[in-house]
């Protein structure tokens, strides 16, 4: 069984380089203004990296004691993995799940007064649901929306709810990754609105505890803004909130996606490759078959667009990416053999392909590439 498993790992796998994760975390922390603590955003299975693969590094090497996830299932999974630190759910949790929030000691984002009231109502007797209040300052996603006085009125009512413990106030920035003048102003206005709300609450002697709004882009491009927590996600994983804009620090992608060559065939010119006959060889071509496809989360949209790395060299994908396999042209690469490692993104010798660069080819973001690597792909932790 063990041998069989080892063999199956040779099909397609994701290497998770925790030494890079640690260095990225140190660099992100160094970007934060004094007094701002880092909240490690590990939603969506740690942005696809495998929560079990990254957690020991985050807790033991990075000293993480604040985590953010998207939902209750992810939060409970963290507790079951032994996380003792604070866990904030950034998204909606139905009020009927208030007992689980209490049982697992999880902090819930509150979307509006009705959500808060229902959570308080559903809370087991004698307990309190811990929460951070979301304010919508311009994202038009969850949170209290309106004039500052209106939001403050709602918060005043929320803090009086009997079974709710309000421990924070936060907002989410929608264009902190842009360097356009109007977007910078928009971000500053979002931050200022939250700050003004905080001042208004202070005037009313309403205590909300923690105060946060920075995401990765905020931490990178708005370094003077401060709360007391920063919710850093994508930069931990070594990717960029906006790959068109340079980051103030150099980060290392934590995930590498690899596969292997299963067959090589030499074909003459004029031969069609893969579904739909979208690619026809123009010369005698060495075609290598690679054991990864869109069911592994490698986007089919990359058909005919992306390259991979084999033996330290770039090889183009030819024809359509299939569900479980794809074909590459290795004519110009010396000595390619069955079993050779193929790097879909990651490093091979001096060459690198990043999830961000693949994302650019198909009009998306690196976030979607790493989050999309499917459960079929084993995550292998690589240290050092
Ligand atoms: C996902 C998320 C973050 C982290 O964003 P990054 O761009 O990955 O740093 C922070 N805050 C909220 C509310 C989020 O949903």
């Amino acid at each position: 069984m063990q041998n069989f498993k080892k063999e199956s790992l040779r099909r397609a796998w994701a290497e998770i380089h925790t030494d890079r994760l640690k260095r990225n975390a140190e660099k992100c922390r160094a970007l934060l203004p004094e007094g701002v603590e880092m909240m490690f955003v590990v939603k969506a299975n740690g942005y696809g990296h495998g929560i079990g693969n990254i957690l020991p590094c985050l807790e033991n090497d990075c000293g993480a004691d604040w985590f953010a996830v998207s939902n209750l299932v992810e939060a409970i999974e963290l507790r079951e993995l032994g996380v003792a630190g604070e866990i904030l759910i950034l998204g909606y949790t139905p009020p009927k799940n208030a007992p689980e929030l209490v049982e697992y000691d999880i902090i819930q984002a509150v979307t509006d007064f009705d959500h808060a009231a229902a959570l308080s109502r559903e809370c087991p007797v004698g307990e309190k649901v811990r929460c951070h209040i979301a304010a919508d300052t311009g994202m038009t996603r969850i949170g209290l929306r309106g004039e500052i006085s209106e939001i403050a009125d709602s918060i005043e009512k929320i803090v009086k709810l009997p079974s709710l413990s309000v421990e924070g106030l936060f907002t989410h920035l929608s264009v902190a990754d842009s360097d356009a003048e109007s977007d910078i102003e928009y971000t500053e206005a979002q931050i200022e609105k939250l700050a003004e709300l905080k001042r208004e609450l202070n005037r009313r002697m309403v205590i909300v505890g923690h105060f946060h709004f920075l995401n990765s882009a905020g931490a990178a491009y708005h370094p003077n803004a401060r709360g007391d927590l920063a919710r850093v996600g994508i930069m931990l994983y070594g990717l960029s909130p906006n790959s068109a804009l340079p980051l103030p620090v150099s980060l290392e992608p934590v995930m590498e996606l690899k596969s292997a060559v299963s067959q090589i065939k030499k074909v003459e010119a004029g031969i069609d490759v893969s579904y739909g006959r979208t690619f026809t060889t123009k010369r005698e071509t060495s075609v290598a078959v690679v054991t990864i496809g869109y069911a592994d989360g490698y986007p089919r949209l990359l058909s005919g667009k992306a390259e991979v790395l084999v033996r330290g060299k770039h090889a183009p994908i030819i024809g359509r990416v299939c569900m479980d396999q794809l074909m590459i042209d290795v004519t110009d690469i010396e000595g390619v053999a069955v079993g050779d490692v193929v790097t879909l993104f990651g490093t091979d010798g001096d060459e690198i392909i990043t999830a961000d660069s693949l994302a650019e080819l198909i009009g998306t973001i690196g976030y979607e590439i790493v989050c999309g690597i499917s459960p079929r792909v084993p995550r292998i932790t690589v240290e050092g």
Side-chain angles (χ1 to χ4, degrees):
M1 188 61 192
Q2 205 50 44
N3 275 343
F4 162 75
K5 270 192 180 164
K6 269 198 190 130
E7 278 306 302
S8 74
L9 296 186
R10 295 290 299 172
R11 184 188 163 270
W13 66 97
E15 291 177 1
I16 307 303
H17 292 259
T18 53
D19 52 327
R20 302 178 193 168
L21 179 62
K22 178 167 181 254
R23 288 193 290 271
N24 292 340
E26 280 163 3
K27 286 179 182 166
C28 289
R29 228 184 221 132
L31 279 177
L32 301 179
E34 275 237 359
V36 183
E37 222 194 305
M38 196 149 82
M39 187 185 286
F40 291 73
V41 182
V42 296
K43 59 193 179 190
N45 198 26
Y47 288 46
H49 290 63
I51 192 68
N53 299 81
I54 60 171
L55 203 53
C57 170
L58 295 182
E59 289 198 292
N60 305 330
D61 303 332
C62 307
D65 50 12
W66 268 101
F67 296 92
V69 295
S70 92
N71 63 61
L72 183 60
V73 171
E74 292 179 353
I76 292 175
E77 188 183 6
L78 281 190
R79 282 284 180 250
E80 286 177 343
L81 285 166
V83 168
E86 301 285 20
I87 302 173
L88 171 65
I89 295 179
L90 298 168
Y92 178 75
T93 296
K96 69 168 174 39
N97 292 117
E100 283 80 24
L101 292 171
V102 170
E103 180 185 347
Y104 290 94
D105 191 22
I106 289 158
I107 307 170
Q108 174 58 45
V110 154
T111 63
D112 58 14
F113 177 77
D114 289 346
H115 187 220
L119 283 168
S120 176
R121 210 164 42 238
E122 300 290 337
C123 181
V125 178
E127 305 280 0
K128 278 181 191 263
V129 172
R130 303 174 65 195
C131 74
H132 285 196
I133 297 174
D136 172 13
T137 59
M139 173 79 178
T140 319
R141 204 167 66 179
I142 60 164
L144 295 159
R145 183 174 179 278
E147 296 299 319
I148 284 169
S149 61
E150 291 170 322
I151 302 178
D153 290 347
S154 296
I155 293 177
E156 244 189 306
K157 286 199 292 173
I158 290 172
V159 297
K160 289 183 185 139
L161 289 165
S163 301
L164 214 60
S165 166
V166 175
E167 301 178 13
L169 171 66
F170 75 101
T171 197
H172 195 48
L173 304 175
S174 62
V175 276
D177 64 329
S178 167
D179 65 349
E181 199 56 51
S182 65
D183 289 338
I184 292 170
E185 279 169 22
Y186 195 88
T187 301
E188 285 169 357
Q190 280 196 276
I191 294 170
E192 179 47 33
K193 183 157 188 186
L194 194 73
E196 181 49 34
L197 175 60
K198 185 89 182 334
R199 286 193 290 273
E200 175 61 22
L201 292 168
N202 286 347
R203 279 194 285 275
R204 300 185 188 195
M205 315 267 245
V206 175
I207 293 162
V208 289
H210 294 290
F211 176 60
H212 49 105
F213 47 85
L214 292 175
N215 50 7
S216 290
Y221 304 122
H222 297 269
N224 298 322
R226 49 170 308 164
D228 58 39
L229 288 165
R231 309 181 304 266
V232 179
I234 198 70
M235 284 170 57
L236 288 176
Y237 306 100
L239 298 178
S240 177
N242 176 355
S243 56
L245 216 59
L247 284 172
V249 285
S250 73
L251 301 172
E252 303 163 87
V254 172
M255 184 194 289
E256 300 201 0
L257 183 65
K258 304 210 166 163
S259 182
V261 172
S262 61
Q263 187 179 4
I264 298 164
K265 52 184 61 171
K266 203 163 248 165
V267 300
E268 57 277 23
I271 298 299
D272 301 325
V273 178
S274 196
Y275 286 120
R277 306 173 63 203
T278 58
F279 180 87
T280 305
T281 55
K282 285 167 202 68
R283 55 172 179 171
E284 189 180 70
T285 301
S286 280
V287 178
V289 183
V290 182
T291 52
I292 192 167
Y294 62 77
D296 300 292
Y298 188 80
R300 183 174 176 276
L301 285 173
L302 286 169
S303 300
K305 290 193 171 153
E307 293 180 338
V308 303
L309 300 173
V310 193
R311 296 196 171 231
K313 297 212 165 68
H314 290 261
I317 292 175
I318 51 176
R320 286 194 184 144
V321 173
C322 310
M323 187 184 285
D324 315 304
Q325 306 178 72
L326 56 82
M327 275 64 85
I328 59 176
D329 179 350
V330 294
T331 315
D332 299 326
I333 305 176
E334 199 70 29
V336 177
V338 169
D340 275 4
V341 171
V342 175
T343 301
L344 289 302
F345 55 85
T347 55
D348 182 358
D350 294 333
E351 298 300 320
I352 181 164
I353 293 172
T354 64
D356 281 336
S357 69
L358 293 181
E360 268 181 57
L361 293 175
I362 54 175
T364 184
I365 49 178
Y367 297 68
E368 190 178 359
I369 302 288
V370 288
C371 287
I373 301 307
S374 78
R376 177 163 92 175
V377 177
R379 273 68 169 169
I380 315 294
T381 305
V382 181
E383 291 169 48

